[in-house]
């Protein structure tokens, strides 16, 4: 499969690093995607990449690499659970322009989804409202100075894709002493909350099946 000849944009070392014995993640993915595209010829394809935590961040970066590396890339969709932020506004625009679809599933109580710290909050594009930088704990005068400095230097992070927000507090199974920062980030918690999610107006189905078998003596039924 012919690849684009343009110079690669810099990507994190975790993706590009490799040794003589072990190839990098980017090399492995490019080879496999090239093989798949060659096998199916001109047949239209779509790929769905998913991951949790660091794997979710890598899924977003991998999707961007696929869509920018191949001359006729497939449609790439990402479903991420509890991902940290991976790029600034420029990266977000690149991902959107390349056609990748990203669904970020975020637990409001999960601190991992709030890092790194300098973050562009969501805003209404149609109203052309100014982006804001969210830096917790700063007084308003210092917040304004931080905004002015960061917007000039581009040293800010931006959420990529559409967000599905869930909350541990909506589940009757995630209350009391078993709820902490670690459990809020676990994949079991995310799957439990997504299983119970209905809509933003009615965020949790009370009859959602319990998946958190490690949270107590009661065993969780298997989802079917």
């Amino acid at each position: 499969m012919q690849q684009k000849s343009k110079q690669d944009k810099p990507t994190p070392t975790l993706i590009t690093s490799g040794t003589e014995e072990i190839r990098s993640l980017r090399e492995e993915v490019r080879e496999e995607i090239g093989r798949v595209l060659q096998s199916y010829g001109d047949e239209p394809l779509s790929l769905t990449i998913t991951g949790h935590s660091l794997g979710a961040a890598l899924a977003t970066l991998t999707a961007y690499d696929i869509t920018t590396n191949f001359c006729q890339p497939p449609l790439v969709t990402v479903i991420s659970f509890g991902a940290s932020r991976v790029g600034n506004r420029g990266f977000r625009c690149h991902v959107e322009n390349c056609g990748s679809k990203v669904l970020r599933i975020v637990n409001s109580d999960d601190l991992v989804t709030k890092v790194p710290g300098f973050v562009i909050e969501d805003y209404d594009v149609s109203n052309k409202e100014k982006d804001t930088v969210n830096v917790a704990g700063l007084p308003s005068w210092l917040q304004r100075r931080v905004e002015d400095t960061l917007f000039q230097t581009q040293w800010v992070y931006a959420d990529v894709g559409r967000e599905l927000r869930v909350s541990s507090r909506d589940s009757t199974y995630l209350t009391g002493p078993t709820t902490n920062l670690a459990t809020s980030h676990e994949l079991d918690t995310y799957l439990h909350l997504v299983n119970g999610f209905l809509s933003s107006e009615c965020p949790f189905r009370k009859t959602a099946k319990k998946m958190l078998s490690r949270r107590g003596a009661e065993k969780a039924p298997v989802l079917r």
Side-chain angles (χ1 to χ4, degrees), residues 17-149:
S17 63
T19 65
E20 293 182 359
E21 296 79 15
I22 302 176
R23 292 182 298 171
S24 68
L25 172 62
R26 184 171 69 176
E27 291 173 329
E28 294 278 359
V29 171
R30 286 182 178 181
E31 179 179 310
E32 181 62 19
I33 297 302
R35 184 191 65 78
V36 170
L37 294 178
Q38 189 171 23
S39 298
Y40 283 88
D42 295 332
E43 183 176 344
L45 296 176
S46 63
L47 300 175
T48 300
I49 307 175
T50 187
H52 168 251
S53 192
L54 174 61
L58 291 175
T60 302
L61 295 171
T62 299
Y64 174 70
D65 187 70
I66 292 173
T67 55
T68 56
N69 182 62
F70 293 93
C71 292
Q72 294 181 321
L75 173 65
V76 181
T77 300
V78 175
I79 302 176
S80 71
F81 297 87
S84 58
R85 299 175 173 106
V86 295
N88 59 12
R89 287 179 294 178
F91 177 73
R92 178 173 66 184
C93 291
H94 280 305
V95 173
E96 293 173 350
N97 292 336
C98 290
S100 296
K101 306 298 182 182
V102 180
L103 175 63
R104 298 176 58 254
I105 302 175
V106 176
N107 183 356
S108 297
D109 302 300
D110 183 3
L111 293 181
V112 173
T113 63
K114 299 176 174 62
V115 295
F118 295 123
V119 180
I120 301 175
E121 295 179 340
D122 292 335
Y123 71 105
D124 188 348
V125 178
S126 62
N127 291 333
K128 307 298 183 182
E129 295 178 4
K130 179 184 177 182
D131 291 341
T132 59
V133 176
N134 178 16
V135 185
L138 292 184
S140 58
W141 67 270
L142 184 54
Q143 175 82 19
R144 289 192 294 270
R145 297 292 294 271
V146 169
E147 288 183 11
D148 292 340
T149 301

Side-chain angles (χ1 to χ4, degrees), residues 116-199:
F118 295 123
V119 180
I120 301 175
E121 295 179 340
D122 292 335
Y123 71 105
D124 188 348
V125 178
S126 62
N127 291 333
K128 307 298 183 182
E129 295 178 4
K130 179 184 177 182
D131 291 341
T132 59
V133 176
N134 178 16
V135 185
L138 292 184
S140 58
W141 67 270
L142 184 54
Q143 175 82 19
R144 289 192 294 270
R145 297 292 294 271
V146 169
E147 288 183 11
D148 292 340
T149 301
L150 291 179
F151 279 120
Q152 291 175 8
T153 60
Q154 301 290 308
W155 291 351
V156 287
Y157 284 79
D159 292 323
V160 178
R162 301 295 295 272
E163 180 181 283
L164 173 60
R165 183 166 291 273
V166 294
S167 175
S168 296
R169 288 165 287 183
D170 291 329
S171 170
T172 57
Y173 294 109
L174 295 171
T175 58
T178 60
T179 302
N180 54 44
L181 298 180
T183 58
S184 296
H185 182 61
E186 289 184 356
L187 181 58
D188 281 351
T189 298
Y190 272 91
L191 296 177
H192 168 67
L193 295 175
V194 170
N195 179 54
F197 183 83
L198 289 177
S199 68

